[in-house]
Every structure is written in structure tokens, then in C-alpha cells.
Amino acid sequence: MIRTAVPADVPVIHALVRDLATYEKAADEAVATEEQLHEALFGERPAAFAHIAQDDTSGETVGFALWFLNFSTWRGVHGIYLEDLYVRPEARGGGHGKALLTELTRICVERGYERLEWSVLDWNEPSIAFYRSLGARPQSEWTVFRLTDDALSTLGGRRP
């Protein structure tokens, strides 16, 4: 079962984010607090949205998708950028990841969004194979760049 996240889901979303960071070998980088997630998802001006995957039998939360809107100047419409998709290891293979992506594609179609995009670590072969099986294709001609920490502060005019 896939449903829209509610404020009571923040603690489990936070725990799943931590699990994802551990899986991606970057647990020390996941410093967001439950309060920050709550504000981002349910504050006065939400910046992100989330969906929850629950086990059909137990009702236990087994995964989530956290996303936000992006915009294509070439297409002239919004799209969805999927920031995180995670299904607990013991629940993988049960269709939860596909169901989460199906819900996001349904939102895209319903709202006239023309893209659903995300990044995947190049070593994450199981996820890459899964995404390819759904018809997703890598954008190999693009390289992701990021400014953070000291570089972000320096360029933004504040010395670290």
C-alpha cells in the first residue's frame, strides 16, 4: 500500500533516511533532524513531499519516497525530482519500490509534469538494474556537481 506521508510519519521517515545513508556508505553525512524533516514536509511552506510504502499484511512502514518539484526550461513545465527512494532490505522484491515509483509517475501524468528524475550511485548495481527494468535510462552525458560546506560558504560570501 502506498499513501501520502502525514506528520506522524516523520520519525519513521527520519529512521529510513538514516538507513539509506548507511546503505550508501555516508551515514555521517545524514545530519538532518526530525524537526527539519517535519518543517520541510509539513511546515508553512512545504519544500518537499513524501509517500510511504506499507506492508499490506502488517501495515508496517517498509519504505518511502521523498521528492520535490523541479522545472524544465526546455519543456516549460514542472517535473518531479526524487531525492530518496528506499525500501528496507527485508521488504525488497515485494513490489514496494515499483509501487512508489508508479505513484510518482501517476502524479506526473495527472499534473502534466513531463519528467521524473533522480540520481543513483554508480556502484549501486541492484538499483540501476531495477530502474532499467522499469524503462528508466541513465543520463550519462550529464555530471552532477555540488557545492556544500566551505565551498558553499566561501562562494556565498561568508568565509568558513
Side-chain angles (χ1 to χ4, degrees), residues 89-102:
E90 63 274 13
R92 292 182 189 154
H96 305 291
K98 183 177 182 181
L100 285 163
L101 285 170
T102 298

Side-chain angles (χ1 to χ4, degrees), residues 14-15 20 25 30-31 46 58-59 61 64 68 70-71 84-85 92 111 120 128 136 139 142 148 156 158 160:
H14 185 258
L20 173 60
K25 303 175 177 110
V31 297
S58 69
T61 297
F64 80 109
F68 55 88
N70 60 13
F71 186 82
D84 288 334
L85 174 71
R92 292 182 189 154
R111 297 181 186 178
V120 60
I128 291 169
Q139 301 298 299
W142 292 89
T148 189
R158 187 171 33 133

Side-chain angles (χ1 to χ4, degrees), residues 19-27 84-85 119-121 123-124:
D19 290 350
L20 173 60
T22 298
Y23 174 77
E24 291 185 348
K25 303 175 177 110
D84 288 334
L85 174 71
S119 297
V120 60
L121 291 165
W123 57 259
N124 192 347

Side-chain angles (χ1 to χ4, degrees), residues 19-87:
D19 290 350
L20 173 60
T22 298
Y23 174 77
E24 291 185 348
K25 303 175 177 110
D28 59 325
E29 295 177 40
V31 297
T33 65
E34 286 185 25
E35 292 77 18
Q36 288 173 308
L37 285 174
H38 186 275
E39 182 64 25
L41 293 168
F42 304 107
E44 188 175 317
R45 298 179 65 191
F49 309 92
H51 285 80
I52 299 295
Q54 290 182 304
D55 181 88
D56 291 335
T57 305
S58 69
E60 176 189 3
T61 297
V62 295
F64 80 109
L66 193 142
W67 57 278
F68 55 88
L69 294 179
N70 60 13
F71 186 82
S72 170
T73 56
W74 291 14
R75 299 263 179 146
V77 296
H78 283 290
I80 287 177
Y81 186 84
L82 175 59
E83 179 66 21
D84 288 334
L85 174 71
Y86 184 73
V87 175

Side-chain angles (χ1 to χ4, degrees), residues 104-130:
L104 296 185
T105 58
R106 185 196 65 72
I107 291 168
C108 285
V109 170
E110 179 181 275
R111 297 181 186 178
Y113 303 160
E114 295 191 14
R115 291 182 178 166
L116 171 59
E117 296 180 316
W118 63 92
S119 297
V120 60
L121 291 165
D122 57 8
W123 57 259
N124 192 347
E125 290 298 328
S127 293
I128 291 169
F130 168 64

